[in-house]
Amino acid sequence: ELKVEQNPLFLSMQEGKNYTIYCNYSTTSDRLYWYRQDPGKSLESLFVLLSNGAVKQEGRLMASLDTKARLSTLHITAAVHDLSATYFCAVDRAGNNRKLIWGLGTSLAVNP
Amino acid sequence: EAGVTQFPSHSVIEKGQTVTLRCDPISGHDNLYWYRRVMGKEIKFLLHFVKESKQDESGMPNNRFLAERTGGTYSTLKVQPAELEDSGVYFCASSQAQGGEQYFGPGTRLTVT
């Protein structure tokens, strides 16, 4: 069974600091996604990672994928308050009808 | 282009009542997904429509849940009768192609008291 684990689940950090959120998954998957959710808002797609060694960056966020370790990281550089949100990772697999299997989410609070 | 919309945004009902959630996908998106997040748990897949057909309903919790997508446009998810454990946020997503990027609505927060 495909399972996804994220850690930490809660993260309180100061502006200007760096931190990493980790996402492990249990069996082979095809694609790994990172989503962001602001309270009461939609889940917004941040990154889709397809292959081993893939790295994508958008602003202060950088996501990477190691398919051998079944691990993805979401690195936050020089955090700002606007990054406060809940971040989810999810995976899918063609043999699993492409339905998304989700982690619990990481609730990030960036404090001044 | 309008995104995925869901109605209502919040619903509070008593145990035993019926509630119907609605999802309007992005126009032209044949694939429509329902997911649910129960408090403290991960978001879980409920079912997937391709046009009006149920492609995969393996995540539906039990027969109190009925999803429809008549005409292949909007979808409804009815819970009858609602139980306390049905409380959570119900998300809808749509994609143009099967396996394509899924675009999510804001969710409906259902509270059963």
Side-chain angles (χ1 to χ4, degrees):
Chain A
E1 185 185 350
L2 187 52
K3 289 190 176 180
V4 178
E5 288 188 2
Q6 269 181 256
N7 69 83
L9 299 183
F10 298 94
L11 178 54
S12 180
M13 54 190 297
Q14 280 188 309
E15 281 191 326
K17 298 291 187 182
N18 304 334
Y19 211 86
T20 300
I21 301 171
Y22 298 88
C23 175
N24 287 90
Y25 52 99
S26 58
T27 63
T28 305
S29 74
D30 292 335
R31 298 181 292 199
L32 189 136
Y33 304 78
W34 284 98
Y35 283 87
R36 168 182 172 146
Q37 188 188 26
D38 293 286
K41 300 292 179 69
S42 302
L43 290 150
E44 175 194 353
S45 177
L46 295 173
F47 302 108
V48 181
L49 302 170
L50 303 177
S51 57
N52 188 42
V55 177
K56 291 194 175 180
Q57 183 163 4
E58 180 75 34
R60 300 173 188 274
L61 300 178
M62 183 173 72
S64 66
L65 179 63
D66 179 344
T67 58
K68 293 179 182 176
R70 295 180 190 148
L71 170 69
S72 179
T73 59
L74 181 66
H75 187 72
I76 302 156
T77 302
V80 293
H81 181 68
D82 286 352
L83 289 178
S84 298
T86 300
Y87 293 84
F88 293 92
C89 69
V91 298
D92 73 8
R93 199 165 59 197
N96 204 26
N97 203 31
R98 292 282 182 212
K99 57 192 172 195
L100 293 172
I101 309 298
W102 298 81
L104 278 170
T106 297
S107 179
L108 171 66
V110 181
N111 307 304
Chain B
E1 180 183 278
V4 177
T5 58
Q6 292 186 245
F7 183 83
S9 56
H10 292 88
S11 180
V12 181
I13 61 171
E14 291 183 354
K15 177 181 170 181
Q17 290 186 319
T18 298
V19 63
T20 300
L21 314 182
R22 174 172 169 142
C23 169
D24 285 78
I26 293 171
S27 178
H29 281 197
D30 287 341
N31 295 269
L32 188 149
Y33 304 80
W34 283 98
Y35 294 86
R36 176 176 75 172
R37 189 183 190 201
V38 172
M39 187 179 294
K41 302 271 183 80
E42 66 274 15
I43 299 170
K44 285 208 165 176
F45 167 84
L46 296 179
L47 87 159
H48 169 208
F49 283 99
V50 177
K51 296 185 180 179
E52 66 275 11
S53 299
K54 291 175 187 173
Q55 178 82 2
D56 181 353
E57 52 184 328
S58 61
M60 293 287 265
N62 51 60
N63 59 10
R64 295 185 294 103
F65 288 76
L66 175 64
E68 294 181 320
R69 193 183 181 196
T70 307
T73 54
Y74 70 90
S75 174
T76 57
L77 181 63
K78 181 193 285 189
V79 185
Q80 179 182 32
E83 297 288 344
L84 298 178
E85 65 264 25
D86 301 333
S87 296
V89 181
Y90 290 75
F91 291 101
C92 174
S94 72
S95 68
Q96 191 164 40
Q98 187 165 345
E101 181 176 358
Q102 295 181 31
Y103 295 86
F104 282 80
T108 293
R109 180 174 296 277
L110 174 65
T111 302
V112 183
T113 62

